[in-house]
Amino acid sequence: ACREVGRLFLQEQNLPAAFEYLRMIGEEKAVAEALESYSPGDEVDLQPIIDIAFHHGLHPQRGFDLVLDRYGICSAITFRSGGFSPQHSADVKDHCIGRLVRALHAQLWERLRAAVEQQQGFAPSARSIPELIEGRDWLFADDAYYVDLSHLSSVAQMSIDLTTEADLRKARELCAYGKRLSPSLQYPGHAPFDSVYVDVDRYLAAVLGEEVDETIEHFRAKITADADGPDPLSAAVLVKLLLRLNRPREAMAVAVEYLALEDERGLPCPGPFELAQKLGDYEALAATARRRHDPVHYLAAIFAARTT
């Protein structure tokens, strides 16, 4: 009965109602498949559909697409800022951030291209934002800007989690534009991305294999830049970067030195315990436990080291 009623609701494009029946018998997959080709009209209330797609995990990518396509970049940024749940894979995160980068890049590109064409009387031949703004200081005169600056800053900072090369390069183009803005329009960020567009661009460049060692030292220096003591967030960002660069031993060394006393559940990167266990480095595990005054994990590390 649930299957039959659920299928009838699917035929009517009533996905929330279909979901209520099909999930009772564990056949939500049919709703996920329907979401793939779902094309809502303007009169449709999307909130229940977004909820089953994203929050219930039936098709999170499609759920995010519906938010962005219907409500725009601002709402999509707010939606993304709500965070991801453990059920959301790395692919889901990459998709959501990538779509934001591409949408903002397209918006900025079109507005800059239109401004240049109006100024010079013919379409520009540039193929990237850095090429388009090169030698055109008038685009930034009198504190001018061509995209919402809060959107630009937010999306730039999100982009450090991207994995797709094409999206990483588009994010760097957004940073190239941000760096040319008037200083009064470049809002300060939080460590280690104090200078948002400069620091994010360096991070993305390293991920793409450019100036890797220099960038590692750049972010390492930020950990101890504050006179109040080492900054755990800066250390966590460096750990994330080192892991992305396939330098797990260096990442673990940073984690043991600066994150040993932090609650690993609140870190945006794997903590020293997790890294030590993955690498089978029981010496580092024991060192971390010792710093935490944790005799149980300290003894466990010692015993594990003797039996391997």
Side-chain angles (χ1 to χ4, degrees):
C2 286
R3 183 178 298 115
E4 183 175 354
V5 174
R7 297 287 181 182
L8 288 171
F9 275 126
L10 282 179
Q11 290 174 16
E12 294 182 353
Q13 295 270 293
N14 189 338
L15 303 191
F19 174 67
E20 291 302 322
Y21 283 92
L22 293 174
R23 72 170 175 172
M24 287 191 285
I25 55 175
E27 295 185 7
E28 304 99 318
K29 184 179 179 182
V31 182
E33 291 171 350
L35 280 164
E36 186 69 40
S37 57
Y38 181 66
S39 181
D42 292 339
E43 74 286 352
V44 174
D45 179 10
L46 281 184
Q47 292 305 322
I49 296 168
I50 292 167
D51 185 56
I52 64 174
F54 193 86
H55 297 297
H56 285 280
L58 263 67
H59 199 324
Q61 292 95 326
R62 183 67 180 129
F64 186 82
D65 290 346
L66 290 171
V67 173
L68 180 58
D69 296 340
R70 168 68 68 88
Y71 303 111
I73 293 175
C74 185
S75 293
I77 290 174
T78 302
F79 187 83
R80 159 63 186 86
S81 298
F84 295 103
S85 68
Q87 70 177 338
H88 293 136
S89 67
D91 289 342
V92 171
K93 299 175 186 178
D94 194 56
H95 173 88
C96 297
I97 299 170
R99 276 230 56 193
L100 280 172
V101 166
R102 293 192 296 275
L104 190 61
H105 183 280
Q107 185 181 90
L108 178 58
W109 168 261
E110 183 55 35
R111 292 175 181 178
L112 287 171
R113 188 203 61 77
V116 171
E117 183 173 0
Q118 182 179 26
Q119 176 75 10
Q120 66 186 21
F122 56 91
S125 60
R127 295 188 177 184
S128 69
I129 288 174
E131 288 181 26
L132 191 57
I133 62 179
E134 180 65 30
R136 294 187 170 102
D137 293 343
W138 56 268
L139 285 168
F140 304 92
D142 301 321
D143 288 352
Y145 56 91
Y146 292 83
V147 73
D148 186 288
L149 298 180
S150 64
H151 296 174
L152 184 66
S153 177
S154 295
V155 172
Q157 292 177 79
M158 289 179 190
S159 70
I160 66 169
D161 289 321
L162 286 169
T163 60
T164 305
E165 181 177 345
D167 291 338
L168 284 164
R169 296 196 181 281
K170 278 186 168 57
R172 290 200 67 194
E173 291 192 22
L174 294 177
C175 289
Y177 173 78
K179 286 189 283 187
R180 291 287 302 275
L181 290 168
S182 165
S184 63
L185 300 179
Q186 295 188 45
Y187 307 135
H190 300 288
F193 302 106
D194 313 82
S195 180
V196 173
Y197 306 114
V198 172
D199 291 325
V200 169
D201 186 54
R202 292 201 68 157
Y203 188 102
L204 299 178
V207 171
L208 290 167
E210 301 175 23
E211 299 185 351
V212 172
D213 292 332
E214 296 87 340
T215 299
I216 289 173
E217 293 311 311
H218 172 78
F219 283 103
R220 192 188 303 277
K222 286 178 175 286
I223 298 174
T224 55
D226 195 325
D228 294 333
D231 176 36
L233 181 57
S234 295
V237 167
L238 179 56
V239 169
K240 284 181 65 172
L241 177 59
L242 289 165
L243 290 174
R244 294 197 64 177
L245 296 173
N246 198 26
R247 298 189 180 189
R249 294 284 175 186
E250 294 177 54
M252 186 177 66
V254 173
V256 169
E257 184 174 1
Y258 296 110
L259 302 177
L261 302 181
E262 302 297 320
D263 184 348
E264 297 197 10
R265 293 170 297 180
L267 292 175
C269 69
F273 271 170
E274 182 180 345
L275 289 171
Q277 289 172 335
K278 284 182 177 179
L279 294 173
D281 190 336
Y282 300 109
E283 202 172 295
L285 192 62
T288 302
R290 186 167 54 245
R291 291 191 62 191
R292 291 186 177 186
H293 303 290
D294 182 346
V296 174
H297 282 93
Y298 178 78
L299 287 172
I302 296 298
F303 290 140
R306 291 178 178 177
T307 57
T308 55

